[in-house]
């Protein structure tokens, strides 16, 4: 959309004003992600899965978006080898539907994602936000990227389960297995 300057260079004591013919509003979450230029992997996944229109049409959503840098941390071939169902589960794990939550409003506790899974939000002592999922901690590195229909919080990693030991510990029902692995020195193997 093009917005025109109708009066330029209105001088003030502390700056310059340019009068425009329309209010500039942020685009929807997809437009904002595309414009940012650092979510090309996420946008490609959304497109490949046919979710772009659904996210554009949602009225409120909180998206925990891994940056391209976060996706690059995955082992080589990970994304290429996902089934569509696995890719969908990962993408939906990063979206909380029906609510736009700014970082200042986050409280520690579980939230349900669009995929029906629960992730734990953690409000840090310094006001930051982390996500815990099956004993894997992910950090929000840039919060509150606002859009007309939601907010994007940029992540330093993709929200995935931890390794086998982390998952076993998080489940709580594998204490014997965890003890054996630990006693045998295989926890870090």
């Amino acid at each position: 959309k093009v917005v025109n300057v109708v009066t330029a260079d209105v001088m003030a004591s502390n700056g310059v004003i340019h009068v425009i013919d329309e209010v500039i509003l942020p685009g929807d979450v997809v437009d904002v992600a595309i414009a940012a230029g650092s979510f090309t992997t996420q946008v490609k996944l959304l497109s490949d899965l046919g979710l772009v229109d659904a996210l554009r049409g949602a009225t409120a959503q909180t998206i925990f978006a891994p940056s391209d840098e976060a996706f690059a941390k995955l082992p080589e071939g990970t994304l290429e080898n996902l089934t569509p169902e696995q890719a969908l589960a990962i993408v939906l794990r990063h979206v909380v539907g029906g609510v736009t939550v700014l970082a200042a409003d986050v409280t520690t506790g579980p939230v349900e994602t669009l995929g029906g899974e629960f992730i734990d939000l953690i409000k840090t002592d310094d006001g930051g936000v982390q996500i815990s999922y099956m004993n894997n901690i992910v950090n929000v590195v840039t919060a509150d990227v606002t859009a007309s229909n939601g907010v994007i919080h940029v992540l330093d990693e993709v929200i995935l389960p931890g390794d086998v030991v982390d998952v076993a510990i998080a489940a709580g029902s594998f204490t014997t297995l965890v003890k054996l692995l630990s006693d045998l020195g295989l926890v870090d193997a």
Side-chain angles (χ1 to χ4, degrees), residues 100-183:
T100 299
V101 181
L102 298 175
D105 300 326
V106 167
T107 56
T108 296
V111 295
E112 187 172 2
T113 67
L114 280 184
E117 296 182 276
F118 285 87
I119 58 175
D120 290 309
L121 300 183
I122 302 166
K123 184 71 168 225
T124 64
D125 291 339
D126 63 357
V129 178
Q130 294 178 316
I131 297 164
S132 176
Y133 177 73
M134 298 182 103
N135 265 19
N136 193 27
I137 301 292
V138 176
N139 298 298
V140 171
V141 292
T142 303
D144 302 341
V145 179
T146 57
S148 62
N149 65 341
V151 65
I152 299 170
H153 300 295
V154 184
L155 302 179
D156 65 347
E157 293 182 33
V158 180
I159 303 172
L160 294 172
D163 64 23
V164 173
V165 175
D166 291 335
V167 172
I169 291 168
S173 57
F174 298 102
T175 54
T176 303
L177 174 63
V178 171
K179 181 172 181 355
L180 284 171
L181 290 172
S182 190
D183 289 350

Side-chain angles (χ1 to χ4, degrees), residues 5-98:
V5 175
V6 293
T7 306
D9 302 328
V10 177
M11 300 306 292
S13 64
N14 62 346
V16 178
I17 298 171
H18 300 293
V19 181
I20 56 178
D21 61 356
E22 291 187 46
V23 176
I24 299 173
L25 298 173
D28 62 47
V29 292
V30 176
D31 292 335
V32 170
I34 291 169
S38 56
F39 303 108
T40 58
T41 305
Q42 180 86 7
V43 171
K44 182 179 180 334
L45 281 169
L46 293 171
S47 180
D48 290 351
L49 294 167
L51 296 174
V52 170
D53 289 339
L55 291 179
R56 285 186 189 282
T59 56
Q61 57 201 310
T62 302
I63 299 178
F64 296 99
S67 64
D68 289 337
E69 190 176 286
F71 277 109
K73 292 179 183 178
L74 295 174
E76 189 173 331
T78 298
L79 291 177
E80 297 78 14
N81 292 318
L82 293 173
T83 66
E85 295 79 18
Q86 291 169 324
L88 182 62
I90 290 170
V91 168
L92 295 181
R93 183 178 303 135
H94 290 78
V95 181
V96 177

